[in-house]
Every structure is written in C-alpha cells, then in structure tokens.
Amino acid sequence: MKRIFVLSLTAALIFMLFPASNAFASQYPDIIRVGLNFRSSAVSSVSVSAEKGIEIGYSDGETFKLLLESSDNRSYVIRKDGYFVLTEQGQLIEYKPTEGVPYKGSVIGPIHLKIGWNLPDFNAAQTFAAAVEKSGIDAYVAYEGGWQIWSGFYHDLNAAEKALAEAKELLEVEDVSIIQDNRSRLVIYDSGFSVQMIYGGTDGYMQVWPKQENDPYVFSANGRRYRGYLEIRRYPDSDLTLINILNIEQYLYGVVPAEIEPDSPLEAIKAQAVAARTYTYKNLKKNENWGFDLANTVEDQVYRGYDGERASTNRAVDETKGKKMLYNGSLANVFYFASSGGMTADIREVWGSEIPYLLSVPDPYESETSPNYIWEKTLTAEEIKSILFVSGVEIGDIISVSAEEYSPSGRVTTLRITGTKGAITYYNKDTRFIFNLNSQKYTIQSAGNVVVKAADGTLRTLALDGRTYVSSSGTGVLSSGKNFFAVIGSGDKVHKVSMSSDTYVFNGRGWGHGVGMSQEGAKGFARQGYNYEQILKHYFTGITVE
C-alpha cells in the first residue's frame, strides 16, 4: 500500500476519467471545479474512501504525484495540522490554544521534530522511520520539499524542546530539529488514527482520486459520494476547502434533481437541465479566487453529487447534452425559481437592471395547488419593529405598513413603513427580503390601509396615516389618534376604516424572485404538450437553444 511514484497526468488518464471530448478546442470546457466546503463551511478534516481503493497525492497543475494508495474501501482522514484533542470517546475535536484545552484526552499540536536528513524516496523514509521507532521514539514519514522523518505532535514549544533533548539522547545523534507550525500542512491518518504521513503542502494541492477499478467511478468524502476526484486546499486562516473536479455533464447529474423534482414531466426536467447547463457555462471561474468555479449551494446551484442522482434527471441531461441558451450568439443570463403565481417578473422589478430577454410573461399553466402558489404570513407591529431594529432601522412603534407601488406583474416595488419616530421605504427585491416573504407578489391586510386603483388600472395599497384629506370643513392630516373615519369610494359608497392596527397579514402568490423560468409553470407547460425548447423560449424572450 505504501508506495510512491510520479504519475504524469497524461491524455490517456484524462480520457479514462472523462468521456472523449474536444474540451481544449471548444470555447466550452468539459471540466468544472465545484466548491463542496469553503469559506464559512470549510472543514478541519475530511474522511475519504472508495469501494475499490483511492490514490492520495498532490498536483502542481500539470502532474499528479502519488503519496499513498489503497486497494480496498478503507477510509483515510485528512486534517489540517493544527490543535486537536483526541477524546476518550475517539472523537477528534479542534480547539483554540488561546482558550485552553476544553476536553479530556490526548492533546495534539502542529509542532514536530525532524530527525536526520532528507531521504531519496518514500520507501527509504519508511525504513528509516521503522528504525527510529525501535529506539522508542514515535516516527512517521513527512513530505515537505523532500522525504523526511518527523516525530511528535506538540502543542507548545516547551514540550517540543523537552522531546528534542530526549530524542538526541536516545538516538545519540545531533541532527534533530524543531519544525514550527505551518498553516499549509495536512496530516493523513487511517481509520484507527494511526499517522500515515504529513504533507507539507508547498509543492501543489492535495488530491484524492478513485482508483480506475472503481465502477461506478466515484469516491466518498465525509460520507457522501461524488464522481470525478477531490482537491483539498488549505488557505491561510481557513479550514480545508474541498473541491470536486468532474465532467460538466456529470456535474449536472447531481444538480438537476436538486433543483426540480425527479418525478416532474420529462420536458420540464429537460428545460431545467438546459437552464442549469447555461448557468454553469455562464458562471465558470466565478469563485476562482478560492480555486473553484461554482458553489454547491443556492449561492449558485444546489449540487448533491452521485448520491443525489436520479434516473429520470440523468436521462434529461443526456437527451439535452451540450444544449445551451444563447441570445444574439452569447450565453444568456439564466434565472429560475419555484413559482410565479401566474405572471413572471421583469428583471427591473426585482434587481433594477434591464436584460432584453428577461421580461414579464404570463404563466398560465401553474397549478394553484403547487407549494406556495398561494401563501400567507402574519406579523405583529412589535415583530415588525424588532425586524427593523435588527436590520439597523429604528422608527419607533409601528403605525402602518403599506405596499404603495405595484409593478405590471403585480409585484410590490415600493413598501412604506411608518413609525412614531419616522418612516422608511423599501424598493424592488427589498420589499420581499425585509420580512423574508416567499415573493414580491403580495397585498397587505390591516387596519389603517386602503386599496385604491390608479389611473392606469394598477392597484396601490396606501397607509392612511399622515395623508391629507378633504372634508366638508376643509383639509387636514390623518393621524393614528383618530380611531375611525369614513371614505367615499366608487359609486359614492361609504367605507368605515380604522386608523390603527397591531397585525399585518401578507397575502401572496408565488415562491422565489420571479425572474426567468418558473419551475411549476414549466411542469404545467410540459403537461400541456410543450417541449423543452418551447418552454424555455416562452420564459426567455428571443433566446435560441443550441
């Protein structure tokens, strides 16, 4: 198992892993790098395995150099070289040395001893380590600019200096030195917490490949299986960034069933596959500062790897292979969401920008029984006050909340909240996010509000507090101190309206931002006999599918 050799990342190996393609001749590459854990979701360790063995090594961008390999399903744990406690229950828990050791168990640190000089290869280092261990000193192989023998995991310099003196005495040599903490090092353990080796991390990024005997060709990382292979990066002041590198079509196998239900009509799934593929190509290198293209979350597209795949969605990906949405020959900006509530949004209504193919269109075939097609949310005045306070807005006790401007698609574009100490107005997407609503398509029911129709036929919900009124005795300003007053509506009908309220009911339709393709609407179109190209061309005005 413990052998070492240099393996060139040849074209033959690439074609074994990824189906034959013209990736280097095409403007559309075949390979994607997906962030599995990164930034705040980075991990201190990862357990890796594959049914018929893995290869652990590092890549300098051109060649893969093997460090360790197995031929069975045994697991290895790769962790950052840092401060940990191996508890009596067998858990490896990280801690901060400035806060003291919080758990009982064996304390592990990132300071080591180097014994002797550099050695020519792994076998020589392993033989030397065995000889050192016969002297009563724990020893293991390390690779940091060359093959070396190290000892110990010390959590402070005093312990390392004491061990240094003991090692010199036992080994009767002077060539023993202290290796200080390095934020790029990785430690490889077996499942029994026996150290296999340390990798210094300066010659390239560590990678884990399933051996070619694996069928399907997948590996496991922290209990979830993925196609392709894994890259592990340790950035300064960060835990481990895990990156899954694989073929884009195989990536879509893990995306599409996470974005649309696998039992949806096939043509709707195909539309989702093309939308997801177009998004992927349009956003490659989006996170290149972190070493990957797209995140595996709603930040980009939800990706659940091999374990998330389903036969129906794989079929949709295969039957649309390579298909993308273009506008005037360029990749389209793609957005999709769950439900429009009957009409999609123009991008201007949500984000304020203008894109000619992201216009509001009717959505006639959405099922009114679909999740959140119709929804309701109730907030008290005190809850609204608290929400504003948390967001840094303090306007006193809430007097009124009103949707004052609606877009042609029926979405709130201006939301006014009035308090005893002032008022604040939100626009476009913020009219949804301030109260974490399912969509911008809603009305507000409360005392102190009236719904009026503007000259262009659109509805407006107005808070009456602070408004100027005209009566038989002249003009004045309405205030919450007046409990009730009369309003004359169409047909001279008189309405009695309360001026105060402690409860606001948001009655809405749809789920999501509303721009682009409605997934529930796409299902409806598919049930009506439309194919995936027709569905996409309905939601994205003027695009082509090529």
Side-chain angles (χ1 to χ4, degrees), residues 57-363:
Y58 66 91
S59 172
D60 59 8
E62 295 182 0
T63 59
F64 174 80
K65 300 181 180 180
L66 186 65
L67 298 173
L68 292 172
E69 65 176 338
S70 70
S71 56
D72 53 31
N73 64 355
R74 75 187 66 185
S75 296
Y76 289 100
V77 176
I78 301 171
R79 68 162 175 85
K80 66 180 186 180
D81 193 17
Y83 296 90
F84 293 84
V85 175
L86 181 57
T87 69
E88 297 171 351
Q89 292 75 35
Q91 293 179 297
L92 193 65
I93 303 176
E94 187 178 10
Y95 74 95
K96 294 182 179 180
T98 55
E99 299 176 358
V101 181
Y103 308 100
K104 291 183 178 180
S106 302
V107 182
I108 297 170
I111 304 172
H112 315 277
L113 298 184
K114 177 187 175 184
I115 301 171
W117 51 91
N118 282 7
L119 296 157
D121 54 38
F122 178 85
N123 289 332
Q126 190 179 41
T127 300
F128 187 22
V132 170
E133 287 190 327
K134 288 182 179 180
S135 301
I137 296 176
D138 179 44
Y140 47 83
V141 177
Y143 184 87
E144 187 160 294
W147 294 103
Q148 302 168 6
I149 297 302
W150 289 8
S151 176
F153 288 84
Y154 306 106
H155 64 282
D156 62 51
L157 196 55
N158 290 335
E161 289 173 344
K162 181 179 179 181
L164 174 69
E166 293 173 353
K168 286 183 176 181
E169 182 177 350
L170 283 172
L171 297 174
E172 297 182 350
V173 297
E174 291 296 320
D175 193 9
V176 182
S177 57
I178 293 177
I179 302 293
Q180 299 280 8
D181 181 13
N182 183 319
R183 297 301 175 91
S184 64
R185 281 191 202 114
L186 298 172
V187 184
I188 306 174
Y189 287 89
D190 64 17
S191 57
F193 290 103
S194 174
V195 178
Q196 301 300 294
M197 69 172 298
I198 286 185
Y199 173 61
T202 58
D203 293 343
Y205 294 111
M206 182 173 284
Q207 294 180 346
V208 179
W209 290 65
K211 299 194 80 169
Q212 290 298 324
E213 294 85 343
N214 285 281
D215 185 17
Y217 190 78
V218 299
F219 68 92
S220 174
N222 285 340
R224 181 175 286 275
R225 291 180 295 173
Y226 300 91
R227 296 179 185 266
Y229 60 98
L230 181 71
E231 184 168 283
I232 303 169
R233 297 190 174 200
R234 186 181 178 191
Y235 293 110
D237 301 319
S238 174
D239 281 348
L240 305 184
T241 295
L242 305 184
I243 302 168
N244 183 197
I245 304 171
L246 74 164
N247 178 275
I248 283 181
E249 297 295 316
Q250 294 178 345
Y251 158 71
L252 293 173
Y253 287 164
V255 167
V256 176
E259 295 289 355
I260 194 169
E261 293 81 0
D263 62 355
S264 300
L266 181 60
E267 292 302 313
I269 301 176
K270 287 182 180 181
Q272 179 65 62
V274 175
R277 184 182 293 108
T278 307
Y279 180 93
T280 300
Y281 281 118
K282 185 71 174 179
N283 290 277
L284 288 176
K285 298 186 178 181
K286 178 182 175 183
N287 296 282
E288 64 179 337
N289 289 343
W290 287 89
F292 60 90
D293 294 308
L294 300 182
N296 65 337
T297 66
V298 292
E299 177 182 325
D300 287 307
Q301 298 179 127
V302 177
Y303 166 67
R304 293 178 179 152
Y306 182 79
D307 288 332
E309 295 179 14
R310 297 294 182 269
S312 60
T313 49
N314 283 10
R315 175 186 172 185
V317 172
D318 291 341
E319 292 186 5
T320 62
K321 184 176 181 180
K323 293 288 187 179
K324 299 168 287 292
M325 285 187 285
L326 305 180
Y327 185 80
N328 289 340
S330 298
L331 286 167
N333 283 293
V334 174
F335 299 95
Y336 50 86
F337 58 95
S339 168
S340 73
M343 178 78 73
T344 71
D346 188 306
I347 192 172
R348 288 176 295 183
E349 303 171 27
V350 181
W351 295 298
S353 53
E354 292 191 29
I355 296 178
Y357 48 87
L358 293 176
L359 306 177
S360 176
V361 297
D363 211 2

Side-chain angles (χ1 to χ4, degrees), residues 274-453:
V274 175
R277 184 182 293 108
T278 307
Y279 180 93
T280 300
Y281 281 118
K282 185 71 174 179
N283 290 277
L284 288 176
K285 298 186 178 181
K286 178 182 175 183
N287 296 282
E288 64 179 337
N289 289 343
W290 287 89
F292 60 90
D293 294 308
L294 300 182
N296 65 337
T297 66
V298 292
E299 177 182 325
D300 287 307
Q301 298 179 127
V302 177
Y303 166 67
R304 293 178 179 152
Y306 182 79
D307 288 332
E309 295 179 14
R310 297 294 182 269
S312 60
T313 49
N314 283 10
R315 175 186 172 185
V317 172
D318 291 341
E319 292 186 5
T320 62
K321 184 176 181 180
K323 293 288 187 179
K324 299 168 287 292
M325 285 187 285
L326 305 180
Y327 185 80
N328 289 340
S330 298
L331 286 167
N333 283 293
V334 174
F335 299 95
Y336 50 86
F337 58 95
S339 168
S340 73
M343 178 78 73
T344 71
D346 188 306
I347 192 172
R348 288 176 295 183
E349 303 171 27
V350 181
W351 295 298
S353 53
E354 292 191 29
I355 296 178
Y357 48 87
L358 293 176
L359 306 177
S360 176
V361 297
D363 211 2
Y365 301 122
E366 277 194 346
S367 170
E368 293 192 10
T369 61
S370 63
N372 292 296
Y373 182 88
I374 298 174
W375 55 267
E376 181 179 292
K377 183 171 186 175
T378 300
L379 293 172
T380 66
E382 194 61 33
E383 287 172 328
I384 291 172
K385 179 180 178 181
S386 177
I387 291 169
L388 294 180
F389 181 79
V390 170
S391 68
V393 176
E394 188 172 3
I395 57 174
D397 294 332
I398 303 303
I399 297 173
S400 64
V401 181
S402 59
E404 303 211 337
E405 296 287 345
Y406 283 86
S407 70
S409 75
R411 286 170 171 80
V412 180
T413 54
T414 304
L415 178 69
R416 180 174 178 259
I417 307 171
T418 304
T420 55
K421 296 181 180 179
I424 186 168
T425 301
Y426 293 94
Y427 301 94
N428 296 336
K429 68 181 188 325
D430 293 332
T431 66
R432 171 193 174 198
F433 290 134
I434 186 60
F435 295 138
N436 195 27
L437 302 175
N438 287 344
S439 73
Q440 280 178 238
K441 196 175 180 68
Y442 62 84
T443 59
I444 305 170
Q445 289 184 354
S446 73
N449 283 356
V450 294
V451 178
V452 299
K453 182 177 288 187

Side-chain angles (χ1 to χ4, degrees), residues 11-23:
L13 181 58
I14 294 175
F15 293 140
M16 289 173 68
L17 175 58
F18 304 113
S21 65
N22 59 347

